[in-house]
């Protein structure tokens, strides 16, 4: 029994940043990189199933990314995943969710997992694409934005809830194997222990190229092309300056004025 | 002469209002000679067709099936329409339902694809979509070279809902064969609000991640009480169980529908949070990070420590 959890290393921006010379992305000197917030929850959900089943479950984390992405993969391994897979090729530099899904589909063929969990979206681009595109390519049952899951290894179906707008949830049954995209709040993700972090360094990570997966450059062309990236003109708040006491006094005035007090 | 298809969605037999926003997005890039068709899958699609026959819609395609949300079926319907009609553009709202069927449709059919699009235009022959990146810090203009059909999901609450009586013809379409892997079992409504009324409150004081620890929450409940506000929160606070979900403002929580004054303390201002409050006329943001996106929608900004401001503020009430 195996659960595959594809994760992503996301980039957040420093306060000040500059665009690349071609104007199509941010210069990567300004990135701070980290494991995608949603992936903490998808990894945790797989680990909870593993623990409830008495360890007869292998949790494999996979990432599509360059050497840098090793950190995010090790973060997931440190929580208790069994092993990792990292796929990279320079032709993946412009990959979007659909291109990444093509890579992951090959990994699923290779690993033959019983379930696949992804994050519902990434906290940098929020495309909400990769997991469900993967399901489409595999022809697997799928559900997005899963906020509750009842699944026992080996069962033919899983019970789940998906979180809809306004806090309403839909209760559904899904045939397994399935690809599920996991929503924030489904569990309380653990922090890696010091021992876990130490062990993660020793855990096996397969490093694969596109060629190893039988894919060519044409297979990972993105479904869209970025013409340009730019910083939008934003509304500017009227700043209230001064000491905390002065700022609070002005805030109190604003409240009283608007409340007609 | 091309065709644009909008995939409307319903929930439990009720049309999702965001379907009309997707129609507006479609009308904005419809060119002379283009036709605009809207497809709806429902138990009684004819009953929903009237609401979709707004100005600019040429045809409503009615697919009779269950009211249950079946991503496999919606995808099969859309795939059949794409194959038969070769539309240049397919649009749907970036609602939770679309998250399940749009990426599968795009991946399986090799469509041009972008999600959460907030603006759309034509530049000569090219369709250009705008979406945000890096947690809303940048925007991107994107196009779709060589793609015969482009599928886009459009951000909700950005495009005005389409209105105006139209005269669309209604066409029946048989539900295609689809391998349906999910079964609807029921609904779980949000937990009882226990008298907390975010949508009805005129004055909301909201706390976010900046509150840092559960033990810090109580003082903001007291502060809200003292200044006469309802205490709201962002998603992480409710997910941690520090405040009930009924206090959560945002896309998966509550819309601050009646709010006239919103004081956001330690809230960074994610898109999902903004969805619930950005319309409020008077937003005051208190945040120690001057780059927090909440400042871009706030009328007043205080760059400072939320705890210091809170304890000073108390002295005035």
């Amino acid at each position: 029994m195996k659960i595959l959890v594809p994760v992503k290393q996301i980039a957040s921006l420093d306060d000040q940043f500059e665009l690349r010379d071609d104007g199509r992305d941010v210069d990567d000197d300004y990135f701070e990189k980290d494991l995608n917030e949603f992936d903490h929850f998808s990894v945790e959900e797989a680990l909870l199933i593993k623990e409830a089943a008495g360890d007869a479950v292998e949790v494999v984390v996979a990432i599509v990314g360059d050497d840098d992405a090793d950190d995010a993969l090790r973060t997931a391994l440190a929580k208790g995943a069994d092993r990792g897979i990292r796929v990279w090729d320079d032709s993946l530099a412009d990959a979007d969710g659909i291109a990444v899904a093509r890579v992951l589909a090959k990994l699923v063929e290779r690993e033959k997992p019983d379930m696949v969990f992804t994050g519902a979206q990434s906290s940098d681009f929020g495309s909400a694409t990769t997991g469900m595109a993967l399901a489409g390519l595999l022809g697997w049952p799928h559900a997005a934005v899963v906020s509750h899951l009842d699944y026992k290894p080996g069962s033919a179906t899983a019970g789940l809830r998906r979180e809809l707008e306004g806090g309403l949830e839909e209760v559904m049954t899904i045939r397994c194997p399935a690809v599920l995209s996991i929503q924030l709040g489904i569990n309380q993700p653990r922090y890696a222990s010091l021992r876990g972090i130490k062990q993660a360094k020793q855990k096996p990570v397969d490093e694969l190229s596109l060629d190893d997966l039988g894919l060519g450059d044409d297979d990972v062309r993105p479904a869209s092309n970025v013409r340009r990236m730019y910083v939008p003109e934003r509304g500017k708040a009227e700043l209230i300056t001064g000491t905390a006491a002065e700022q609070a006094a002005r805030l109190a005035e604003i409240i009283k004025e608007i409340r007609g007090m | 002469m091309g065709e644009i298809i909008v995939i409307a969605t319903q929930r439990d037999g009720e049309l999702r209002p965001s379907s009309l926003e997707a129609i507006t997005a479609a009308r904005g890039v419809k060119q002379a000679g283009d036709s605009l068709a809207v497809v709806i899958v429902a138990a009684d699609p004819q009953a929903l067709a009237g609401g979709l026959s707004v100005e600019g819609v040429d045809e409503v395609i009615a697919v009779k099936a269950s009211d249950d949300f079946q991503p496999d079926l919606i995808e099969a319907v859309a795939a059949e329409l794409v194959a038969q009609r070769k539309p240049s553009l397919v649009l749907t709202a970036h609602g939770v339902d679309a998250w399940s069927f749009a990426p599968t449709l795009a991946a399986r059919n090799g469509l041009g694809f972008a999600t959460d699009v907030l603006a759309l235009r034509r530049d000569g022959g090219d369709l250009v979509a705008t979406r945000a990146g890096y947690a809303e810090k940048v925007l991107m203009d994107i196009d779709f070279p060589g793609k015969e059909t482009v599928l886009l999901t459009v951000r909700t609450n950005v495009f005005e809902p389409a209105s105006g009586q139209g005269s669309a013809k209604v066409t029946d379409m048989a539900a295609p064969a689809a391998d349906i892997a999910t079964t609807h079992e029921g609904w779980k409504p949000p937990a009882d609000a226990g008298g907390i009324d975010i949508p009805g409150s005129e004055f909301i004081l909201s706390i976010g991640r900046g509150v840092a620890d559960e033990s810090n929450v109580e003082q903001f409940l007291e502060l809200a009480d003292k200044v006469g506000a309802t205490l709201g929160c962002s998603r992480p606070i409710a997910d941690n169980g520090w405040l009930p979900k009924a206090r959560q403002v945002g896309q998966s929580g509550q819309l601050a529908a009646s709010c006239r004054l919103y004081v956001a303390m330690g809230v960074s201002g994610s898109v999902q949070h903004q969805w619930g409050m950005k319309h409020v006329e008077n937003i005051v943001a208190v945040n120690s990070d001057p780059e927090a996106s909440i400042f871009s929608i706030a009328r007043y900004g205080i760059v400072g420590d939320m705890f210091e401001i809170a304890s000073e503020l108390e002295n005035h009430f």
Side-chain angles (χ1 to χ4, degrees):
Chain A
M1 162 67 198
K2 190 191 289 184
I3 303 174
L4 181 69
V5 188
V7 299
K8 184 184 179 187
Q9 175 158 274
I10 57 104
S12 48
L13 294 176
D14 287 351
D15 289 354
Q16 302 293 327
F17 60 89
E18 283 175 24
L19 292 172
R20 235 163 46 186
D21 287 343
D22 70 359
R24 297 178 59 230
D25 205 340
V26 171
D27 185 331
D28 66 8
D29 286 349
Y30 299 93
F31 289 144
E32 290 168 29
K33 294 184 174 173
D34 212 342
L35 180 64
N36 179 31
E37 185 185 3
F38 289 76
D39 298 345
H40 288 273
F41 295 84
S42 56
V43 170
E44 180 68 29
E45 199 61 21
L47 294 174
L48 291 173
I49 291 167
K50 177 188 170 83
E51 287 161 358
D55 275 3
V57 175
E58 187 184 28
V59 176
V60 180
V61 287
I63 201 160
V64 175
D66 61 13
D67 306 356
D68 238 16
D70 243 8
D71 289 346
L73 194 66
R74 298 283 171 190
T75 302
L77 286 168
K79 288 169 180 275
D82 296 291
R83 64 186 171 86
I85 304 171
R86 184 169 68 79
V87 184
W88 188 243
D89 190 288
D90 287 341
S91 61
L92 284 163
D94 280 337
D96 61 356
I98 292 194
V100 171
R102 286 194 199 284
V103 173
L104 296 174
K106 289 289 181 185
L107 278 188
V108 169
E109 273 175 36
R110 194 184 156 108
E111 291 288 331
K112 301 187 171 45
D114 299 89
M115 291 293 264
V116 178
F117 298 163
T118 69
Q121 61 178 324
S122 63
S123 30
D124 50 3
F125 283 84
S127 299
T129 296
T130 312
M132 295 300 105
L134 169 62
L137 295 170
L138 296 170
W140 279 26
H142 52 280
V145 200
V146 173
S147 51
H148 178 86
L149 178 64
D150 286 314
Y151 171 74
K152 291 210 169 44
S155 11
T157 61
L160 61 82
R161 300 203 296 261
R162 52 184 201 106
E163 187 183 272
L164 307 173
E165 290 84 356
L168 178 71
E169 291 175 291
E170 180 180 13
V171 184
M172 53 166 53
T173 306
I174 192 164
R175 221 163 58 209
C176 299
V179 181
L180 307 179
S181 85
I182 304 294
Q183 172 67 316
L184 303 175
I186 188 174
N187 52 41
Q188 291 282 346
R190 70 195 68 190
Y191 292 101
S193 63
L194 281 174
R195 189 161 152 265
I197 294 168
K198 222 168 170 179
Q199 285 175 339
K201 293 186 179 129
Q202 314 302 327
K203 284 183 179 169
V205 172
D206 281 334
E207 296 189 354
L208 303 174
S209 66
L210 280 187
D211 201 38
D212 292 331
L213 294 172
L215 289 169
D217 295 0
D218 278 345
D219 297 313
V220 294
R221 298 236 182 275
S224 67
N225 164 63
V226 178
R227 280 191 173 189
R228 65 174 188 126
M229 190 176 272
Y230 51 100
V231 179
E233 282 202 21
R234 296 219 185 266
K236 281 230 182 329
E238 180 188 325
L239 282 188
I240 299 167
T241 53
T243 63
E246 287 161 355
Q247 289 172 316
R250 177 73 186 113
L251 175 54
E253 266 176 34
I254 291 168
I255 292 171
K256 287 175 181 169
E257 192 184 302
I258 295 169
R259 303 285 295 152
M261 289 158 75
Chain B
M1 302 303 107
E3 175 150 33
I4 299 175
I5 295 176
V6 169
I7 305 171
T9 53
Q10 52 84 20
R11 182 161 297 151
D12 223 7
E14 297 278 329
L15 194 66
R16 296 293 296 154
S18 54
S19 302
L20 294 168
E21 299 171 14
I23 292 172
T24 299
R27 290 199 309 207
V29 288
K30 187 182 178 189
Q31 294 170 307
D34 282 351
S35 57
L36 172 57
V38 181
V39 60
I40 178 77
V41 179
D44 186 1
Q46 299 282 346
L48 302 179
L52 291 167
S53 174
V54 292
E55 212 176 311
V57 175
D58 299 295
E59 180 185 5
V60 175
I61 304 167
V63 183
K64 193 171 167 57
S66 161
D67 275 341
D68 296 348
F69 173 64
Q70 296 169 328
D72 301 306
L73 181 61
I74 297 189
E75 190 204 327
V77 166
E80 190 169 306
L81 289 170
V82 167
Q84 282 173 0
R85 302 187 177 206
K86 306 210 178 329
S88 58
L89 177 62
V90 181
L91 286 172
T92 194
H94 191 66
V96 172
D97 287 356
W99 290 31
S100 275
F101 68 79
T104 63
L105 178 67
R108 271 141 82 98
N109 296 279
L111 309 183
F113 186 51
T115 60
D116 202 18
V117 166
L118 35 101
L120 193 56
R121 65 186 163 91
R122 293 210 187 258
D123 175 23
D126 295 340
L127 185 73
V128 179
T130 304
R131 83 183 306 282
Y134 300 116
E136 305 288 305
K137 293 212 169 157
V138 300
L139 293 180
M140 292 175 283
D141 283 348
I142 51 191
D143 57 18
F144 309 90
K147 295 291 187 185
E148 217 178 305
T149 299
V150 172
L151 169 62
L152 301 175
T153 69
V154 295
R155 181 172 289 184
T156 56
N157 270 13
V158 169
F159 296 91
E160 284 291 315
S163 58
Q165 187 55 49
S167 52
K169 64 172 177 180
V170 179
T171 316
D172 288 317
M173 174 179 166
D179 180 18
I180 293 171
T182 54
T183 312
H184 170 84
E185 306 286 1
W187 303 103
K188 184 176 179 291
D192 179 42
I196 301 159
D197 184 14
I198 291 286
S201 297
E202 286 191 7
F203 177 22
I204 296 170
L205 177 96
S206 217
I207 55 172
R209 258 185 230 272
V211 78
D213 194 90
E214 185 170 13
S215 61
N216 296 330
V217 171
E218 184 62 32
Q219 69 193 83
F220 289 92
L221 275 165
E222 286 164 15
L223 176 66
D225 199 39
K226 206 159 179 187
V227 302
T230 302
L231 188 70
C233 67
S234 65
R235 171 155 199 144
I237 307 304
D239 275 353
N240 283 338
W242 297 353
L243 284 173
K245 189 97 179 156
R247 293 196 188 270
Q248 185 190 321
V249 177
Q251 195 150 21
S252 52
Q254 303 295 318
L255 181 70
S258 320
C259 189
R260 290 177 55 239
L261 172 61
Y262 192 92
V263 180
M265 304 186 97
V267 176
S268 66
S270 70
V271 197
Q272 289 80 13
H273 189 77
Q274 287 189 20
W275 186 95
M277 47 66 78
K278 71 172 179 211
H279 59 277
V280 177
E281 191 186 340
N282 300 292
I283 297 170
V284 186
V286 180
N287 204 298
S288 54
D289 173 11
E291 298 296 320
S293 56
I294 192 85
F295 286 114
S296 69
I297 57 161
R299 179 164 174 194
Y300 302 102
I302 294 177
V303 178
D305 180 282
M306 66 186 277
F307 298 104
E308 276 184 59
I309 302 294
S311 63
E312 292 286 350
L313 184 62
E314 252 182 325
N315 301 333
H316 296 272
F317 290 86

